[in-house]
Amino acid sequence: MKFPNLPDNIIEQALALYDQGKPVSAIIAAFPDHKAEVEDLFGFVSEIRHEGRQLPLPSRDALTHVLLSVSMDTQKHVAQKSPTASFGTFESFQSFVTGRWTVYGSVGVVAAMAFIIFINNFSATNQPIPLSPNDTKVAENTQQLVRESSVAQDAQGIGAATETASPTALMASPAMKSAGTATAGSDAILGAFFADASAEQALFDTEATAILANVDGATLTGLDTTIASYAY
Amino acid sequence: MQDTSDPRQLIISAKDGDMAAFGKLYELYFTPVFRYIFARTSQHQLSEDLAQTVFIKAFESLDRYQPTASPPLAYLFTIARNSVIDHWKKKKDILFQEEDAAVSNIVDRKQNPARDAEIKSSVGIITAAIQELPPDQQDVITMKFLQELSNAEIAQALGKSEDAVRQLQSRALKSLRVVSQKYEIS
């Protein structure tokens, strides 16, 4: 037992010099007090290195097996990285089926349900629109009005050929008067509206005539000059 | 693939999915990884199987590997080291600390003299003696003197400082010498 008797720091220093590329003879010379131990240390290191070089090599089979394993893993890796890549392995195909197909299936079911609902709604819109009680009443009144109008026309000797009779006369007929209850309100409103508008227009015309009558010719001439000054 | 043999560049290309680059890394490092494991187990078939596992694990974890953090060989040795520890743990079917793994290995061999003799005859005395050292000392001896990694690379692989690696080397060499002398006598 030689070098194990050396203090740790001496061994560390000697190995550090060796790592720096110093020749063994120079390192041994650097520790004159521990020459035999340092010599023994590097003899042992040399022995370890020699045995390391004698370690067996792996067989060719092992090399081939790893290459195959890694190749399969690479295909999986590439398939995972690129969703558009073709299925590298059966496992990647399987994971696609069990994973992505579930999503596609769910979307398909939802789309089918939406289509069925749309078709049902479309059919429903082609059905006659149910009338509210008010609508029904208006319709009945209109039909009654038409019937009574026909009867009145027949009674007055107005045939189909005299359909061009004046609306005033038609409106004055008893049938129209009796059936006019449905539209009487709106007629009254419209009549009042037009009456107000006529009265307003008449009032405006009267006021304008009065103003113009009070304006003398000189004022009008001045006004013409002012307007001309703004003209380009 | 770029025409390069720089291991760091190869592993960066492999990270990008370059299969040929990974194949080149494999050709460069399969034998060192195998020998590292063999020095820890002295079993040829087991070492091949574990070396294969190391490369498959390395490939699977390429996305997590940072080329600037440690050189590729140190990275592979880290995986190899963990694979060997996992192997011993599985073999013993109990959970124990890393230090206990070596003790367990020694006990296993002492309880089985035939196996001990087989190791000594199939590998050299020093390789057999390495396996009786604590795991961190096995690592440093294997990486430094069998694989000839620098102290910086060993420090990165073991997650220790370079000073700690130097101290560990010193203790490991002393222990190895004592154990190998016992083998020589027996």
Side-chain angles (χ1 to χ4, degrees):
Chain A
M1 187 179 287
K2 289 180 182 171
F3 84 85
N5 293 328
L6 279 173
D8 283 352
N9 65 322
I10 299 289
I11 297 175
E12 286 169 31
Q13 285 172 28
L15 290 174
L17 290 170
Y18 187 72
D19 288 341
Q20 289 165 14
K22 293 268 168 62
V24 173
S25 55
I27 299 168
I28 293 168
F31 298 96
D33 296 341
H34 308 285
K35 191 181 172 189
E37 289 87 349
V38 174
E39 211 170 43
D40 181 49
L41 170 68
F42 284 103
F44 187 61
V45 166
S46 172
E47 212 176 313
I48 297 171
R49 290 212 160 117
H50 175 74
E51 196 160 311
R53 286 191 285 271
Q54 305 302 314
L55 287 175
L57 292 167
S59 66
R60 297 300 301 174
D61 288 349
L63 300 174
T64 313
H65 182 80
V66 170
L67 278 179
L68 282 173
S69 303
V70 170
S71 173
M72 283 181 67
D73 260 33
T74 307
Q75 288 177 13
K76 264 194 271 185
H77 185 70
V78 170
Q80 283 165 2
K81 271 192 168 179
S82 167
T84 55
S86 58
F87 300 115
T89 60
F90 177 71
E91 287 79 6
S92 62
F93 174 73
Q94 211 171 22
S95 67
F96 171 81
V97 169
T98 54
R100 215 173 294 181
W101 243 150
T102 311
V103 177
Y104 290 165
S106 306
V107 170
V109 168
V110 169
M113 286 175 67
F115 181 73
I116 291 166
I117 290 167
F118 172 76
I119 290 295
N120 283 341
N121 283 344
F122 184 74
S123 304
T125 54
N126 285 341
Q127 298 293 325
I129 300 168
L131 297 174
S132 67
N134 284 339
D135 293 337
T136 309
K137 193 177 174 184
V138 169
E140 284 170 1
N141 285 340
T142 308
Q143 287 170 357
Q144 177 69 20
L145 174 64
V146 170
R147 274 198 302 275
E148 287 179 7
S149 174
S150 300
V151 170
Q153 284 173 353
D154 289 345
Q156 290 176 5
I158 304 169
T162 60
E163 283 177 0
T164 55
S166 73
T168 312
L170 193 59
M171 290 298 287
S173 70
M176 288 298 281
K177 280 180 181 170
S178 62
T181 51
T183 55
S186 59
D187 286 348
I189 292 166
L190 282 171
F193 174 77
F194 284 121
D196 286 349
S198 300
E200 199 173 343
Q201 182 63 42
L203 182 63
F204 176 75
D205 289 346
T206 308
E207 284 176 355
T209 306
I211 290 166
L212 283 171
N214 291 330
V215 175
D216 57 14
T219 307
L220 286 172
T221 307
L223 187 63
D224 287 344
T225 310
T226 306
I227 291 168
S229 71
Y230 285 107
Y232 290 98
Chain B
M1 190 192 91
Q2 292 178 2
D3 185 21
T4 177
S5 56
D6 175 19
R8 282 181 197 268
Q9 189 54 51
L10 286 173
I11 209 158
I12 288 168
S13 301
K15 270 170 78 96
D16 293 337
D18 186 342
M19 175 63 183
F22 191 78
K24 209 161 184 179
L25 272 175
Y26 162 80
E27 284 171 11
L28 274 174
Y29 292 138
F30 187 82
T31 299
V33 168
F34 165 82
R35 283 181 157 179
Y36 170 84
I37 297 170
F38 185 84
R40 305 281 302 263
T41 64
S42 296
Q43 296 177 53
H44 200 282
Q45 186 57 50
L46 174 65
S47 302
E48 284 185 353
D49 292 345
L50 288 178
Q52 288 168 14
T53 307
V54 166
F55 276 86
I56 292 166
K57 281 182 181 173
F59 184 79
E60 287 171 350
S61 61
L62 270 179
D63 287 342
R64 296 194 297 275
Y65 172 68
Q66 299 294 326
T68 51
S70 64
L73 186 56
Y75 173 62
L76 291 170
F77 279 167
T78 305
I79 299 174
R81 179 170 167 262
N82 292 334
S83 298
V84 171
I85 291 167
D86 286 348
H87 167 76
W88 291 125
K89 279 184 179 175
K90 278 180 193 165
K91 198 178 176 190
K92 293 296 167 189
D93 200 26
I94 52 169
L95 292 172
F96 47 84
Q97 296 299 311
E98 195 174 297
E99 289 294 326
D100 293 339
V103 175
S104 175
N105 192 18
I106 293 163
V107 170
D108 187 38
R109 287 170 58 177
K110 283 184 177 167
Q111 287 171 349
N112 190 348
R115 166 88 184 117
D116 198 13
E118 183 192 325
I119 290 171
K120 276 191 271 186
S121 64
S122 64
V123 298
I125 288 171
I126 290 173
T127 309
I130 286 172
Q131 292 166 45
E132 297 201 19
L133 301 178
D136 57 349
Q137 291 188 10
Q138 288 186 38
D139 283 331
V140 81
I141 291 286
T142 309
M143 291 182 191
K144 177 75 180 179
F145 301 110
L146 300 185
Q147 304 292 342
E148 303 190 1
L149 263 62
S150 69
N151 288 347
E153 289 172 327
I154 297 169
Q156 284 172 331
L158 300 181
K160 296 178 187 291
S161 69
E162 286 191 50
D163 283 343
V165 169
R166 280 190 205 99
Q167 290 167 9
L168 199 53
Q169 275 174 39
S170 172
R171 289 200 302 273
L173 280 171
K174 284 183 174 182
S175 304
L176 186 62
R177 181 56 182 264
V178 171
V179 175
S180 61
Q181 280 180 339
K182 280 188 204 167
Y183 270 98
E184 283 166 4
I185 293 165
S186 65

